[in-house]
Amino acid sequence: MPSAFQFQCHFVLIFLAASKGETRYLEVRDVGEDEPFLLLSEDLKRELSAGQIYRRSLRCIDMLSIEGQFTFTADQPQLHCATFFIGEPEELITINYNFVNIDCQGGDILKVFDGWILKGEKFPSSLDHPLPTSQRYVDFCESGNIQRSIRSSQNVAMIFFRIHQPGNGFTVTVKKNANLFPCNVISQTPSGRFTMVIPHQHRNCSFSIIYPVVIKISDLILGHLNGLFLKKPSAGCAGMGDFVELLGGTGLDPSKMFPLADLCHSFHGSAQMKIGCDNTVLRMVSSGKYINRVTFEYHQLDLQETENRKENSIEEFCFPSI
């Protein structure tokens, strides 16, 4: 049986598909009880390709993966609301306030958070984000007109809001910007391919996949300097300034997940691992002295694959949670 975290995250990601358009735009194909597939219809694709600004109302709990203008108007007191924003791995999200009508003195709240929070766990974790946690919140009731445009540090962001008075609300415009060196990423899909590059930067980067997956690393360069590879000692990765680790767990915060494997040697080839955890994270730690790069691909794990091991596969983990 899926865990509560997996159910919530999968609900959020399924909700994402539904939130890409109004109900009339949704097409359901090959729907099963356990794995509904919601696809965008051609109507919405044509509207967006024509350059029109997409507009719709927000729900109390909502998710957006598309640019446009979005309005929330309370029809009753709404005390625990949030909108999740997600882009492609190579995108940053900019949220602009167009109109705000809330009662800050009466206890209303409107805050942007740089990342996601789910059940008290943050992504990116405090260890991986460039800002301290307190600076990742932008409170409209404190900043007002001073900061009406907020840009995320990665491909996810969210708004928390609480509105007591019916009729009050806000309008935001969401835009996406290119990110030349994506660092922290939550994948929208259970399969894909990605190359993470950290060019002479002292930072940690995490790529999160909220599905049980097979992940295959095909290229890893650590300690790359002027075309030469830095020699690594034969011991493990403990104390190394540059390495990649694979993590698995049941929450959103990589710093609270279980370390499954460390990679601290450059290689070209294939290293595969089956991870049956609710959340899988590939995390690169970089000292800033070198250009580090890792290329990997992943797809959702099915039960049949648990029975078919490959010679270059690392031991499987977390299968009891599937």
Side-chain angles (χ1 to χ4, degrees):
M1 293 294 291
S3 71
F5 170 80
Q6 188 177 37
F7 175 79
Q8 290 174 356
C9 287
H10 288 183
F11 171 80
V12 168
L13 293 173
I14 292 170
F15 199 90
L16 164 64
S19 300
K20 289 182 176 179
E22 301 284 0
T23 311
R24 68 181 183 275
Y25 292 121
L26 293 177
E27 297 177 353
V28 182
R29 300 177 185 171
D30 299 328
V31 177
E33 287 186 3
D34 299 324
E35 195 171 359
F37 250 114
L38 295 170
L39 305 176
L40 286 179
S41 73
E42 294 301 319
D43 293 338
L44 178 57
K45 293 178 182 178
R46 281 194 294 270
E47 286 187 19
L48 296 178
S49 63
Q52 298 183 21
I53 297 177
Y54 180 62
R55 292 180 173 88
R56 78 159 172 85
S57 298
L58 290 176
R59 308 168 182 90
C60 177
I61 301 296
D62 214 334
M63 187 169 227
L64 299 170
S65 66
I66 197 168
E67 294 181 324
Q69 191 173 88
F70 307 94
T71 299
F72 181 83
T73 303
D75 57 358
Q76 61 182 4
Q78 300 282 7
L79 306 183
H80 304 284
C81 298
T83 300
F84 296 82
F85 302 93
I86 188 168
E88 296 298 328
E90 303 84 3
E91 294 176 333
L92 302 176
I93 296 166
T94 299
I95 302 169
N96 295 289
Y97 289 121
N98 303 109
F99 169 79
V100 178
N101 178 28
I102 64 173
D103 183 5
C104 294
Q105 299 301 318
D108 288 357
I109 292 174
L110 182 58
K111 296 182 180 182
V112 173
F113 181 72
D114 189 3
W116 277 7
I117 298 180
L118 193 62
K119 295 194 70 176
E121 296 203 3
K122 300 183 294 292
F123 183 92
S125 73
S126 300
L127 298 177
D128 294 347
H129 199 280
L131 297 175
T133 299
S134 60
Q135 295 182 26
R136 293 169 67 178
Y137 290 93
V138 179
D139 189 339
F140 179 86
C141 288
E142 294 180 358
S143 62
N145 290 324
I146 298 175
Q147 190 170 0
R148 298 186 69 92
S149 180
I150 303 102
R151 178 178 291 186
S152 69
S153 303
Q154 62 287 311
N155 78 321
V156 292
M158 67 185 301
I159 291 179
F160 298 96
F161 55 97
R162 179 172 67 204
I163 300 176
H164 291 83
Q165 184 65 37
N168 286 357
F170 59 90
T171 298
V172 295
T173 297
V174 176
K175 295 183 178 179
K176 297 178 182 178
N177 310 97
N179 184 5
L180 295 180
F181 295 104
C183 183
N184 295 301
V185 173
I186 291 181
S187 177
Q188 293 189 43
T189 62
S191 62
R193 180 181 174 88
F194 188 72
T195 297
M196 181 184 292
V197 180
I198 305 182
H200 297 291
Q201 295 175 328
H202 180 41
R203 65 190 307 193
N204 307 324
C205 297
S206 294
F207 191 100
S208 174
I209 312 158
I210 308 176
Y211 297 90
V213 294
V214 177
I215 186 166
K216 181 168 68 174
I217 299 174
S218 57
D219 187 58
L220 176 62
I221 297 177
L222 296 169
H224 183 255
L225 182 63
N226 296 328
L228 299 175
F229 293 135
L230 184 70
K231 273 197 171 183
K232 303 289 185 181
S234 57
C237 295
M240 296 299 226
D242 303 87
F243 62 92
V244 166
E245 58 181 350
L246 291 173
L247 308 170
T250 58
L252 192 64
D253 192 327
S255 68
K256 299 179 180 180
M257 298 172 69
F258 300 105
L260 305 179
D262 288 341
L263 300 170
C264 49
H265 299 271
S266 300
F267 70 86
H268 301 276
S270 179
Q272 177 174 289
M273 188 171 189
K274 299 175 182 178
I275 304 175
C277 304
D278 297 340
N279 190 14
T280 300
V281 168
L282 182 145
R283 182 172 182 261
M284 177 179 280
V285 176
S286 180
S287 66
K289 299 178 181 178
Y290 313 105
I291 299 175
N292 295 325
R293 185 181 73 199
V294 59
T295 297
F296 58 96
E297 57 187 89
Y298 55 95
H299 67 266
Q300 188 169 6
L301 185 67
D302 58 54
L303 293 178
Q304 183 177 358
E305 286 179 292
T306 67
E307 302 172 359
N308 301 324
R309 298 187 182 185
K310 293 186 177 180
E311 292 182 0
N312 61 344
S313 294
I314 307 173
E315 185 66 34
E316 298 90 342
F317 290 89
C318 293
F319 283 116
S321 70
I322 296 181

